[in-house]
Amino acid sequence: MKGPDPVKIEHMFDSIAAGYDRLNHLMSLGIDKVWRRRALKLIVTPDSPQTILDVACGTGDFSILIAEAAHPDSKIYAADLSEGMLEVMRQKLMGKGLDGRIRPVRCNCEQLPFTEGCFDRVTIAFGIRNFEHRETALKEFLRVLKPGGKLMVLELSVPSNRLLRWCYNIYFKNITPLIGGLVSGDKAAYRYLPASVHNFPSPREFCCMMEEAGFRDVRCRTFTLGLCRMFTGAK
């Protein structure tokens, strides 16, 4: 299934970069921070240096968590298509004194500018649904992983419980665009974001997609009654 146009995605995220963090935390009621911290335990080995790539890093929230938890000698790269998002991240890194710990890379994440087999971990938090060619991206993630390296994908999901799904649809289809539009001035962007969750493949379909890309030991874990799912796989 083909995803959204990357040029439109780049422009959209550039336009909402300044208020993106505040809106994300507001609309997820802060639960996104809990999901990231749970995922972090499967990514970082604090006792030994790692080379880690955070794809579709946005404004760097997850990249920063990784850098703070990782061994001081670890190398952290943060890749994103949107220069607006990366600029917000650079400002954060300077404020936290982490500008030497994380290396921002602007690129099309379906064509990563890295050699084969150079990362211990590849992560992507709440970004895979915005890719035009997800199968291509997954193969690219596999390519840059070392043998035995792991991929971790966090993504928003539609709950399976009927009552919770009804509440979810009311909130994300009606309230989210209203709040997002008022704060960011871009109501269309906050209509797209909930729609992109609904258009994302089912957990089973995405696991199959990972396996077809070449990942082994593919697993899916559910957080907060299905509001978020974590997919993992090894090279």
Side-chain angles (χ1 to χ4, degrees), residues 110 112 133-145 151 209-210 212-215 235:
E110 294 179 12
L112 295 169
H133 304 106
R134 298 184 191 107
E135 296 89 343
T136 301
L138 288 169
K139 289 177 182 177
E140 190 69 348
F141 302 162
L142 185 74
R143 180 185 70 79
V144 300
L145 276 169
L151 169 69
M209 198 178 292
M210 288 180 64
E212 289 170 2
F215 285 95
K235 181 170 182 177

Side-chain angles (χ1 to χ4, degrees), residues 14-42:
D14 279 346
S15 74
I16 64 175
Y20 184 73
D21 287 337
R22 187 156 51 103
L23 280 167
N24 255 10
H25 301 325
L26 176 66
M27 290 187 295
S28 71
L29 305 178
I31 303 174
D32 60 306
K33 297 178 182 179
V34 176
W35 298 333
R36 287 185 175 95
R37 292 195 177 279
R38 290 184 68 178
L40 194 65
K41 296 176 182 179
L42 297 180

Side-chain angles (χ1 to χ4, degrees), residues 20-172:
Y20 184 73
D21 287 337
R22 187 156 51 103
L23 280 167
N24 255 10
H25 301 325
L26 176 66
M27 290 187 295
S28 71
L29 305 178
I31 303 174
D32 60 306
K33 297 178 182 179
V34 176
W35 298 333
R36 287 185 175 95
R37 292 195 177 279
R38 290 184 68 178
L40 194 65
K41 296 176 182 179
L42 297 180
I43 298 166
V44 171
T45 55
D47 296 333
S48 59
Q50 296 169 283
T51 305
I52 301 172
L53 172 63
D54 185 26
V55 180
C57 64
T59 61
D61 273 5
F62 199 42
S63 305
I64 289 168
L65 279 179
I66 291 169
E68 290 174 338
H71 189 280
D73 294 330
S74 293
K75 296 178 181 178
I76 316 296
Y77 293 80
D80 202 276
L81 182 65
S82 166
E83 179 57 33
M85 290 287 194
L86 289 175
E87 182 54 34
V88 174
M89 181 177 73
R90 291 187 190 101
Q91 293 171 15
K92 286 186 189 177
L93 296 180
M94 291 180 65
K96 290 178 173 286
L98 290 170
D99 41 318
R101 290 271 284 134
I102 300 174
R103 305 177 194 189
V105 179
R106 183 179 179 272
C107 65
N108 180 339
C109 296
E110 294 179 12
Q111 299 174 348
L112 295 169
F114 303 106
T115 57
E116 183 175 343
C118 57
F119 291 103
D120 298 295
R121 299 285 185 272
V122 173
T123 70
I124 177 166
F126 313 115
I128 191 70
R129 71 184 187 279
N130 299 316
F131 279 56
E132 183 179 19
H133 304 106
R134 298 184 191 107
E135 296 89 343
T136 301
L138 288 169
K139 289 177 182 177
E140 190 69 348
F141 302 162
L142 185 74
R143 180 185 70 79
V144 300
L145 276 169
K146 297 176 181 179
K150 294 181 181 179
L151 169 69
M152 190 290 306
V153 178
L154 268 183
E155 193 50 87
L156 296 172
S157 181
V158 179
S160 53
N161 178 276
R162 286 186 179 183
L163 179 58
L164 186 59
R165 186 167 64 245
W166 179 80
C167 295
Y168 174 94
N169 287 334
I170 293 289
Y171 184 69
F172 278 91

Side-chain angles (χ1 to χ4, degrees), residues 213-228:
F215 285 95
R216 57 183 179 82
D217 299 329
V218 173
R219 298 181 183 182
C220 173
R221 301 184 187 185
T222 300
F223 297 158
T224 318
L225 302 174
L227 289 175
C228 176

